[in-house]
């Protein structure tokens, strides 16, 4: 079998393979490996309450963060509370809270689904929300139950226009 695979790559066609081996053309055809291209679409959307979700359609996972605008409005974050893994959340439902030196704020789910992972680092380093709110300071990962909910959220341009944020 291994030598057949070598012949496929060397000869480049199943006809050449069939001439040089005892395999029939249909068997050789099955052995020919054609590259498969998978297109993954990653979509980032914003809520009016300053949460974001970055959705990967190949995994069905949405990573929830707060926006840079939100963290700057909050000031220095001192405590983060998040929903537990396995919690079923509804779009717009409560998934956590953030406390800063200025105020406390609730965090709402931008999409419905199941909380698959939370950023446990935020318990000991809540300041990550200030340093890197949309990267290292991610809040949770949700297995999205209804990807069409993303269509009702804001694009980056809409979010910036609504909040008077310059590009």
């Amino acid at each position: 079998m291994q030598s057949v695979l070598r012949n496929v790559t060397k000869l480049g066609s199943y006809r050449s393979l069939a001439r040089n081996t005892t395999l029939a053309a249909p068997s050789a055809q099955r052995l020919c490996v054609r590259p498969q291209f998978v297109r993954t679409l990653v979509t980032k959307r914003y809520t009016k309450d300053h949460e974001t979700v970055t959705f990967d359609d190949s995994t069905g996972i949405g990573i929830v963060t707060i926006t840079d605008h939100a963290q700057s409005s909050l000031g220095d974050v001192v405590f983060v509370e998040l929903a537990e893994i396995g919690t079923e959340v509804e779009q717009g439902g409560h998934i956590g809270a953030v406390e800063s030196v200025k105020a406390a704020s609730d965090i709402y789910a931008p999409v419905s689904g199941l909380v698959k992972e939370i950023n446990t680092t935020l318990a000991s380093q809540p300041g990550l929300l200030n340093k890197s709110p949309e990267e290292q300071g991610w809040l949770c990962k949700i297995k999205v139950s209804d990807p069409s909910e993303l269509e009702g959220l804001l694009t980056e341009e809409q979010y910036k226009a609504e909040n008077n944020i310059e590009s």
Side-chain angles (χ1 to χ4, degrees):
M1 180 69 138
Q2 211 170 23
S3 63
V4 171
L5 290 175
R6 269 193 217 116
N7 286 336
V8 168
T9 57
K10 286 181 186 174
L11 301 172
S13 76
Y14 73 89
R15 285 187 189 134
S16 297
L17 178 66
R19 278 195 309 266
N20 295 314
T21 66
T22 58
L23 288 175
S27 297
Q29 254 183 331
R30 283 193 296 270
L31 291 175
C32 291
V33 179
R34 293 188 179 106
Q36 296 293 320
F37 296 100
V38 178
R39 186 174 180 177
T40 300
L41 187 62
V42 176
T43 307
K44 186 172 185 177
R45 294 287 189 255
Y46 297 74
T47 68
K48 293 179 181 183
D49 294 319
H50 312 289
E51 292 93 9
T52 70
V53 60
T54 303
F55 177 70
D56 181 337
D57 75 337
S58 68
T59 62
I61 299 290
I63 302 173
V64 179
T65 67
I66 62 170
T67 65
D68 187 57
H69 178 73
Q71 74 77 22
S72 64
S73 297
L74 282 168
D76 293 335
V77 176
V78 294
F79 179 74
V80 179
E81 177 185 55
L82 298 170
E84 294 182 18
I85 294 173
T87 302
E88 191 72 36
V89 295
E90 293 293 322
Q91 185 177 37
H94 186 265
I95 60 168
V98 174
E99 290 182 25
S100 70
V101 293
K102 290 183 182 178
S105 251
D106 287 331
I107 303 167
Y108 301 100
V111 289
S112 301
L114 183 70
V115 177
K116 298 296 277 180
E117 188 177 342
I118 60 170
N119 188 350
T120 55
T121 306
L122 293 176
S124 60
Q125 298 178 45
L128 279 177
L129 278 178
N130 295 112
K131 293 176 187 159
S132 180
E134 296 185 36
E135 292 171 15
Q136 293 177 344
W138 61 273
L139 301 169
C140 64
K141 296 181 181 181
I142 296 175
K143 178 71 174 176
V144 179
S145 59
D146 184 5
S148 69
E149 290 177 342
L150 293 163
E151 295 168 17
L153 299 175
L154 305 171
T155 65
E156 182 176 13
E157 294 78 24
Q158 291 168 328
Y159 175 77
K160 286 182 175 181
E162 189 167 299
N163 293 288
N164 298 318
I165 299 170
E166 292 181 25
S167 296

